[in-house]
Amino acid sequence: MTEEILRVENLNKFYGDRHILHDINFTLHQGEVLTLLGPSGSGKSTLIRCLNGLEDFSSGAVYFKGEKINLTDKNWQEIRQKIGMVFQSYDLFPNLTVMENILLAPTKVQKRAKDQVAQDAEGLLKDVGLEKYADSYTRELSGGQKQRIAIVRALIMHPEVMLFDEVTASLDPEMVRGILQIMTKLSKEHHMTMIIVTHEMGFAEQIADQVLFLEDGHILENTPGKTFFAQPKTERARDFLESMDF
Ligand code: ADP
Ligand code: MG
């Protein structure tokens, strides 16, 4: 077993008096890919957001490499840089160039030397096939290109785990494959530890070491990927896969 990266213990989340996440428990080790599946509204985004501090949770604990995350602690800002996140909406600055978007956080937050980060960025842009676009404004790019930049912007921070929340959901079908390939390469070649929320079931089956199947904020299954897709334990998961034509 490789090193533990994230551990979630009895996490509960309320919005007002609505109980959104119920006693969530799981562990993620270095190099593992966990896919988070479940119907719309089951709490996938809320869980992902709790893991990188965009949402506070009501009880329970999250550990990063054995260290308990406390959102009010000074060390949280440091830990947070190790947890990369990419969303469905790219949230790039439209009036900055691709390179300026990428350099912003590493130079301002991490105080890394601009020249060095720019060199890093060129390498990453090449990896995603966008080396020619460094000086373009992000508003000029297609959705698929913007999403690649959003991935580079997360990777430039040298994260130890990447969280992807439906990153292909708003893309044209012909853009989807390229993004899925980038995530596959990150896993297979760079052994990146990842949590992926996706509705692309073929991709999920290919990439998932572990599947968490969520419904109404409960984990119904925490199953090795191969087992989940071949033989889901619960009827609810079987129905879900069927509804996805899988
Ligand atoms: P999923 O990503 O699986 O579609 P979400 O995590 O977005 O699910 O939502 C889970 C539940 O939490 C839904 O019932 C949703 O309406 C509710 N919810 C999400 N965000 C908020 C919020 N900011 N305030 C109140 N309720 C919310
Ligand atoms: Mg969601």
Side-chain angles (χ1 to χ4, degrees):
M1 200 50 93
T2 52
E3 185 189 9
E4 176 186 300
I5 302 291
L6 278 178
R7 181 165 42 131
V8 176
E9 276 183 8
N10 296 321
L11 186 148
N12 284 275
K13 165 77 180 168
F14 289 81
Y15 280 123
D17 52 15
R18 279 193 63 203
H19 199 169
I20 304 291
L21 294 171
H22 299 254
D23 286 326
I24 303 294
N25 288 283
F26 68 90
T27 307
L28 185 66
H29 293 91
Q30 158 63 35
E32 279 182 340
V33 177
L34 182 147
T35 62
L36 193 51
L37 305 181
S40 176
S42 55
K44 305 180 296 295
S45 294
T46 305
L47 176 54
I48 288 256
R49 291 164 60 84
C50 284
L51 298 180
N52 88 334
L54 288 173
E55 292 285 350
D56 205 352
F57 39 90
S58 313
S59 66
V62 177
Y63 296 84
F64 177 80
K65 292 176 124 180
E67 190 174 348
K68 191 170 174 178
I69 288 181
N70 183 344
L71 301 188
T72 55
D73 253 15
K74 270 204 223 125
N75 71 353
W76 165 239
Q77 283 311 325
E78 242 158 74
I79 292 178
R80 185 175 203 177
Q81 293 167 31
K82 302 281 176 200
I83 306 175
M85 176 143 184
V86 185
F87 310 82
Q88 184 175 335
S89 63
Y90 344 97
D91 291 327
L92 299 171
F93 293 101
N95 298 319
L96 297 182
T97 64
V98 165
M99 188 55 93
E100 287 166 345
N101 266 283
I102 298 169
L103 294 188
L104 209 55
T107 56
K108 296 276 187 270
V109 180
Q110 293 181 326
K111 313 271 185 227
R112 281 154 64 194
K114 195 169 171 184
D115 291 356
Q116 223 170 356
V117 190
Q119 217 174 347
D120 259 18
E122 279 166 23
L124 288 170
L125 282 172
K126 203 160 174 213
D127 285 346
V128 301
L130 290 180
E131 66 271 30
K132 293 199 190 102
Y133 292 84
D135 298 321
S136 303
Y137 286 92
T138 56
R139 58 168 187 260
E140 298 163 352
L141 304 181
S142 72
Q145 290 171 328
K146 282 183 194 159
Q147 198 56 292
R148 285 166 198 236
I149 302 301
I151 292 171
V152 168
R153 185 183 49 177
L155 292 176
I156 194 91
M157 303 296 275
H158 302 318
E160 295 197 40
V161 54
M162 285 283 284
L163 313 176
F164 293 94
D165 191 359
E166 297 204 37
V167 294
T168 59
S170 63
L171 300 182
D172 294 334
E174 68 267 27
M175 302 288 183
V176 170
R177 232 180 81 176
I179 300 291
L180 300 182
Q181 279 168 350
I182 289 170
M183 288 192 273
T184 302
K185 195 167 151 191
L186 267 179
S187 166
K188 305 287 183 226
E189 292 178 22
H190 301 271
H191 310 290
M192 179 62 80
T193 311
M194 311 201 275
I195 299 182
I196 302 176
V197 178
T198 183
H199 289 296
E200 301 286 337
M201 288 303 123
F203 165 70
E205 183 183 30
Q206 288 292 317
I207 201 165
D209 295 306
Q210 200 180 347
V211 172
L212 282 194
F213 181 70
L214 230 61
E215 186 181 54
D216 293 335
H218 296 268
I219 294 181
L220 294 196
E221 297 204 27
N222 181 354
T223 315
K226 294 274 172 292
T227 315
F228 181 84
F229 287 97
Q231 221 162 21
K233 280 185 273 191
T234 60
E235 198 168 325
R236 190 60 197 90
R238 271 198 296 278
D239 289 348
F240 173 78
L241 288 174
E242 263 172 41
S243 76
M244 307 294 285
D245 283 329
F246 201 79

